[in-house]
Amino acid sequence: MILGLDSTTERLHLALVEGETAWTRRVVGGVGRSHSEALLPTLNELLTEAGRTPRDLRGVVACVGPGGFTSLRIGVATAEGLALTGLPTWGFSAFELRACALRTAGYIGPVWILLDGQRNEVFAQRWGTGPMGPACRYPLAELPTLLQGQPWWAPEAFAPKASAAADCPALTLVDEGASTLVGLTQLCRELPLKPPESPLVPFYLRETDAEVNFPEASRHLPDALRQGHAR
Amino acid sequence: MWVLGLESSCDDCSAAVVEETPAGPVLRAMAKQSQDQLHSPYGGVVPELAAREHLLQIRNVIQEALAKAELPLQKIDRIAVTQGPGLVGSLLTLFSASKALAWRENIPWVPVHHLLGHLGAARFAVPDLPFPALALLVSGGHTHLYRSEGWTHLELLQKTRDDAAGEAFDKTARMLNLGYPGGPVVDTLAQRAEQAAAAFTAPKFRDGKASWSFSGLKTAMKLRIAAEPGLAVAGPEDARVQALCRSLNETVAAWLLKPIPAIAKETAALSLIISGGVACNSELRAQAKLLAARLGLRLAIPEPRFCTDNGAMIASAGALLPPAEDPWPVNADSNLKL
């Protein structure tokens, strides 16, 4: 049984997947620390539904970002803790999760996936069957320059803001929550076919303020502490 | 009982395996990833960088501690972790990982207040310490005096009116371009000084209490450095710099200990505990030894590796606290109260 988890937004996504069967849950919480309170209790609920115990887990796939710094840390740290019990781990980006959700809902792409980058910026990556270029950070006000009229999608919490800045309409999912969980389930099936990752390295896509404000003092920082491991 | 203790409340990521025995806690292994080099160019801890680095070190430090102890995770009887107070991003790394570990392995899990951890560090020094005791917990973030009736009890008596004592060391080292963190470097240079520079004037308070204030000391140090041309860049080999460090050492130690005699008498204390990063300071340790002997107090100061933040102190405290009955919804708390 594979555990999939995404804690990078205020919506916590969890999946337990065994073969063709999946038990999934979407928890709408507050921003930041609240996932710390909900994650394991919700997982217990799913295990009870599945009639299994934590010992039945065989691996963990976890979203490593980009997303809220604090909330993504809770998910990745949880996966790292589970790794110490002997479970292999695999990471996926927030873009990959959304692309997978769109794909399972029938959108093959190519499509720009836009995530809330905060500070009037957007995190963006263009996806087809895989990433069609590197993820980037872009000023929200200049979104039309990025999109060039091409199809795009954004999560419902960010879509109004992105729509106001874009000059072409967004793709929409009829049931974003259900599609995201289907996407997560799919990743639980696909990623364990690849070599495990150890440790999981987050993909922040945004440097720390220290790097911005003190560039000279930040020369020693490795990439993993700057924007993280790009995917 | 084997306890895995985990600490990541600020810039030290540490795991330790401690055996709780009838004679007290015994350290079996400790791993610690210091972030001093990471934060040094900024002259202080950058919270977001600290959290990012902790996240990358979770596997390393826990695996290293267990490997050094030659103990598999399944032999651990209890996991203790710092719940707060501290930097929330840093706290949540080992905190979240520890819950996941305990959850999957069905190991009792204990959230620990960081200051009870510093108190617990003194158990390694004097496990049979008589109580009540005065506990002076002093670091870059705390300068607090407590009355303690046992190893899991702290009752605040007084605290600094402004800055923590540890800040005086960090800021002085910064003003003299001596590096970061300031405490160890100032102490080292102080011990090399042939004599101390002129003493600093102790603050006086309108209420007449023997209280603490260290913000004025920072200002006085700034003026002292500015008054001597070239001193700020003279470097660690300069005798004037060393003399100033010695003066700072003696001043901070004397000021910290000044309230102890009267409060020890008022509270009928039998012991004096000094813990936290500043408890590494050689002058404070020396003056405390003399004072405790004069007052007839049993003195417990952890060895330096247990004074700065570490997993062993959390294990020591966690061994005496009850495991959480409903652990999985428990959250880290950056402002956790005692």
Side-chain angles (χ1 to χ4, degrees), chain B residues 277-299:
Chain B
V278 177
C280 293
N281 184 273
S282 62
E283 180 65 25
L284 178 60
R285 296 172 85 95
Q287 287 194 25
K289 194 174 176 185
L290 292 173
L291 178 69
R294 182 161 64 82
L295 299 177
L297 296 172
R298 188 89 184 270
L299 180 65

Side-chain angles (χ1 to χ4, degrees), chain A residues 33 36-37 44 47 54-55 57 69 73 77-78 80 83 85 89 198 202 204 206 208 217-218 220-221 225-226, chain B residues 38 41-42 46 48 51-53 55 59 62-63 88 92-93 96-97 99-101 103-105 328-329 331-332:
Chain A
R33 299 182 306 134
S36 174
E37 294 159 16
N44 273 338
L47 282 168
R55 297 303 309 169
L57 295 180
F69 291 167
R73 256 192 290 277
T78 298
E80 289 291 284
T85 69
T89 53
S198 172
Y204 297 107
R206 180 182 290 288
T208 64
S218 302
H220 66 303
L221 296 180
L225 297 181
R226 291 174 182 265
Chain B
L38 179 65
Y42 306 101
V46 179
E48 178 57 25
R52 291 186 181 194
E53 178 66 9
L55 195 55
R59 289 195 204 201
I62 296 178
Q63 280 174 340
V88 70
L92 278 166
T93 55
S96 303
K99 282 208 298 183
L101 266 175
W103 176 77
R104 183 145 196 271
E105 296 294 340
W328 316 132
N331 209 340

Side-chain angles (χ1 to χ4, degrees), chain A residues 169-209:
Chain A
L171 298 176
T172 54
L173 287 167
V174 176
D175 187 339
E176 180 181 315
S179 295
T180 305
L181 291 171
V182 171
L184 181 59
T185 300
Q186 189 60 27
L187 289 171
C188 287
R189 295 193 177 110
E190 292 174 3
L191 292 177
L193 302 175
K194 298 179 178 178
E197 299 172 30
S198 172
L200 292 174
V201 180
F203 178 24
Y204 297 107
L205 196 50
R206 180 182 290 288
E207 65 283 274
T208 64
D209 287 343

